[in-house]
Amino acid sequence: MSIRTTHRALLSRLLPNDKPDDLAVRQGQFHIVVIGSDRVVCLPRTRATAARLPQRVAALHALAGLDLGFRTPEPLFQGGADEVPFLVLSRIPGEPLKSDTLNDAQLVDTVAAQYAALLSALARAGTDETVRAVLPQAAESRWRRFAENVRAELLQLMSDSGRLRAERELAALDSLPHVTRAVVHGDLGAENVLWEWTHGLPHLSGVLDWDDVTLSDPAEDLAAIGASYGRELLERVLALGSWSNHGLLSRIAAIRGTFALQQALYAIRDGDEEELEDGLADYR
C-alpha cells in the first residue's frame, strides 16, 4: 500500500499546500522521503533510524549556519512522541545529475569545478569550532571495528568467493590513516547532490541526506564521486582541488571498496532486508 495512503492524514497536516495523491515519494537507505512543493517529510524506515533523528537535526542546524556556497536542508520541525516519527525539512530545488549527462569536456569541467569547490567548503567547515563541537569525529579505530563487524555479522551470509572478495577489501583498510580534518558528507553519491540548469550548464543547488556526516577523511566523499561518475570526473576534481596527497588515490580506492559492505552492515543492524540483499548482491 502506498505511503500516501497509509500516512494520508499525517501528510495532509504536514504538507497543507499539497494534495497527497500528487506528492512524489522516494525511498532511500534510511528514510522514505515525501516531497512537497516547499518542504519534504522524512519518515524513518526503521526504529534505529528514528532514534538518530535528534543527531541529524543538530548536524543540519550546524551546517545551515555556515556559508558553504550551496544549500543544505533546514530542519523545520520534528515529531514522533505519540505518532509516526518524522522530520520536516525545507525543500531544495534541483535534480540529481545523471552520469550520462556528462558527455562533453565542458560539462565535465563545469561539474568538476563545482565539486572541487564543494569539497573545499567542507574542508574549511572542518576548522570551525562550532561545527567541530556538534559533529561526531571519526574514531581512530573506525575501520578496524568495521572490518571486525563485517566478519562477525556478514561473512556467514556470503558465498566462498564473496568471502574472499570481502577479505581483500577489508585488508585494504589496514593502511588507512586517521584523518579528521574536514567535514565529510559520508554519502556524496549522485542522488544526494542537486543541480539546476542555466544556459545549458548545470549549477550545484544543494546537498541532501547528511545522516552520515562526520569529521573525517575527504577521501570518503571523493570515493563517492568516483563511484557515481567514473574516473574521468574524479581525476578532474582531484586536479582542481588543493589536496595533500599522502596516498590519497589509495585511500579513495580502499574506501570505495567498502561501500556495499557499509550498506549491508547498516541494513542488517536496522533490520532492513531489502537494503541487505542489495548490499550483498555481489557477495552471494
Side-chain angles (χ1 to χ4, degrees):
M1 187 178 294
S2 167
I3 197 78
R4 303 180 194 89
T5 301
T6 58
H7 293 70
R8 194 176 192 86
L10 177 65
L11 294 175
S12 295
R13 176 163 62 86
L14 298 178
L15 302 171
N17 297 324
D18 301 284
K19 296 179 180 179
D21 291 336
D22 296 336
L23 295 168
V25 178
R26 294 178 181 168
Q27 181 168 299
Q29 182 174 356
F30 302 114
H31 301 91
I32 297 172
V33 180
V34 184
I35 304 171
S37 55
D38 61 351
R39 58 182 62 176
V40 300
V41 177
C42 299
L43 301 168
R45 294 182 61 190
T46 66
R47 290 182 180 179
T49 303
R52 293 193 292 266
L53 283 180
Q55 179 182 340
R56 186 184 191 200
V57 170
L60 288 173
H61 278 307
L63 293 167
L66 300 173
D67 182 14
L68 294 173
F70 58 87
R71 281 168 283 189
T72 59
E74 295 187 36
L76 301 178
F77 50 95
Q78 179 184 350
D82 299 311
E83 57 188 332
V84 176
F86 65 83
L87 176 62
V88 180
L89 303 171
S90 61
R91 179 180 176 179
I92 298 174
E95 295 292 334
L97 190 66
K98 296 180 180 179
S99 58
D100 58 9
T101 305
L102 303 180
N103 51 20
D104 67 49
Q106 183 182 15
L107 283 171
V108 170
D109 287 346
T110 297
V111 171
Q114 292 176 81
Y115 264 118
L118 183 162
L119 293 170
S120 294
L122 292 182
R124 290 193 302 274
T127 67
D128 186 299
E129 290 304 321
T130 302
V131 174
R132 296 189 69 85
V134 172
L135 298 187
Q137 185 174 123
E140 188 169 1
S141 60
R142 173 191 175 185
W143 293 115
R144 176 180 57 77
R145 288 189 289 106
F146 171 74
E148 291 172 351
N149 291 333
V150 168
R151 292 183 176 110
E153 300 177 49
L154 297 178
L155 286 191
Q156 68 269 26
L157 304 177
M158 302 177 186
S159 65
D160 290 343
S161 60
R163 284 191 286 273
L164 289 173
R165 171 180 172 170
E167 287 292 359
R168 288 194 299 270
E169 292 165 346
L170 295 176
L173 302 176
D174 292 342
S175 61
L176 289 179
H178 184 226
V179 179
T180 61
R181 62 174 175 266
V183 173
V184 171
H185 179 277
D187 189 14
L188 203 64
E191 69 280 0
N192 289 328
V193 183
L194 301 183
W195 304 78
E196 294 181 297
W197 288 79
T198 305
H199 305 302
L201 292 174
H203 296 271
L204 194 155
S205 59
V207 180
L208 310 175
D209 194 0
W210 293 83
D211 287 293
D212 291 329
V213 64
T214 57
L215 298 165
S216 189
D217 187 347
E220 295 180 46
D221 285 343
L222 287 161
I225 293 170
S228 292
Y229 292 109
R231 185 177 183 86
E232 181 183 4
L233 181 71
L234 176 61
E235 289 179 346
R236 289 296 298 137
V237 174
L238 291 171
L240 292 168
S242 301
W243 314 107
S244 55
N245 196 306
H246 299 301
L248 180 60
L249 290 176
S250 296
R251 283 155 44 207
I252 292 171
I255 292 168
R256 181 172 174 177
T258 69
F259 283 169
L261 295 175
Q262 288 188 51
Q263 175 183 330
L265 190 61
Y266 265 123
I268 197 170
R269 292 178 169 183
D270 284 358
D272 192 327
E273 291 293 332
E274 184 178 345
E275 287 292 321
L276 177 63
E277 287 302 314
D278 182 64
L280 291 181
D282 291 335
Y283 298 87
R284 294 298 201 182

